[in-house]
């Protein structure tokens, strides 16, 4: 499940930062955030690098963009925003929409399914919006 993968990812980053301990307590946490919107082509070429424009909003100025959570299973790609969340007093809300490029280099022809995580439903289950991309030789 995505929750277990989030936990594994979080533990990996915590271990990486613990190895860089500067002798002071670091209260940085790594968290996933929802994708707001994407712009992507409907067709791509095998072994060609393309960019998918991903948009997101930070909850506040203590959430620092750290790249993407990106899981590849067969022709399915699961994507979420990855943040370092700083433990600072009085975070300032941030309603700006940011754009970042996600590089996509398909290895095989066929239909790829992108599942962009856009948060949780009222019952706390993960929700995704799905986009398909056809890859030609």
């Amino acid at each position: 499940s995505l929750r277990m993968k989030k936990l594994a990812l979080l533990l990996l980053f915590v271990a990486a930062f613990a190895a860089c301990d500067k002798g002071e307590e670091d209260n940085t946490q790594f968290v996933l955030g929802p994708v707001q919107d994407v712009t992507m082509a409907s067709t791509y070429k095998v072994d060609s690098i393309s960019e998918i424009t991903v948009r997101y909003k930070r909850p506040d100025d203590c959430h620092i963009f750290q790249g993407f959570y990106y899981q590849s299973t067969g022709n399915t790609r699961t994507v979420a925003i990855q943040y370092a969340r700083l433990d600072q007093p009085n975070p300032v809300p941030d309603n700006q929409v940011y754009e970042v490029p996600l590089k996509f280099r398909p290895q095989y022809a066929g239909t790829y399914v992108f599942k962009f995580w856009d948060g949780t439903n009222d019952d706390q289950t993960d929700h995704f919006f799905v986009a398909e991309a056809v890859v030609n030789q």
Side-chain angles (χ1 to χ4, degrees):
S1 86
L2 185 58
R3 290 183 197 279
M4 290 301 295
K5 291 176 184 122
K6 286 185 211 176
L7 180 60
L9 186 65
L10 176 67
L11 292 174
L12 174 70
F13 281 106
V14 168
F17 264 74
C20 299
D21 188 11
K22 300 172 196 75
E24 54 190 54
E25 189 173 341
D26 183 5
N27 292 326
T28 302
Q29 294 180 320
F30 291 89
V31 296
L32 297 182
V35 171
Q36 182 92 12
D37 189 17
V38 299
T39 301
M40 60 187 287
S42 57
T43 60
Y44 296 89
K45 282 188 70 84
V46 168
D47 214 30
S48 176
I49 299 173
S50 301
E51 287 187 357
I52 297 169
T53 301
V54 177
R55 285 177 280 289
Y56 69 95
K57 285 185 181 180
R58 297 188 315 167
D60 54 50
D61 66 344
C62 289
H63 285 73
I64 309 302
F65 178 76
Q66 293 291 307
F68 294 99
Y69 167 86
Y70 187 87
Q71 180 189 12
S72 173
T73 307
N75 279 9
T76 300
R77 305 293 182 263
T78 304
V79 181
I81 300 297
Q82 188 173 288
Y83 294 112
R85 185 174 64 203
L86 308 176
D87 186 15
Q88 301 288 334
N90 306 315
V92 177
D94 184 356
N95 288 316
Q96 181 175 338
V97 175
Y98 295 90
E99 288 188 357
V100 288
L102 172 66
K103 294 195 183 313
F104 175 51
R105 183 179 179 188
Q107 300 297 308
Y108 307 101
T111 300
Y112 285 71
V113 177
F114 283 85
K115 294 171 53 179
F116 294 96
W117 185 68
D118 63 354
T120 55
N121 294 323
D122 290 338
D123 63 359
Q124 299 306 306
T125 58
D126 292 317
H127 186 266
F128 301 88
F129 65 89
V130 177
E132 292 188 354
V134 175
V135 176
N136 300 309
Q137 286 290 348

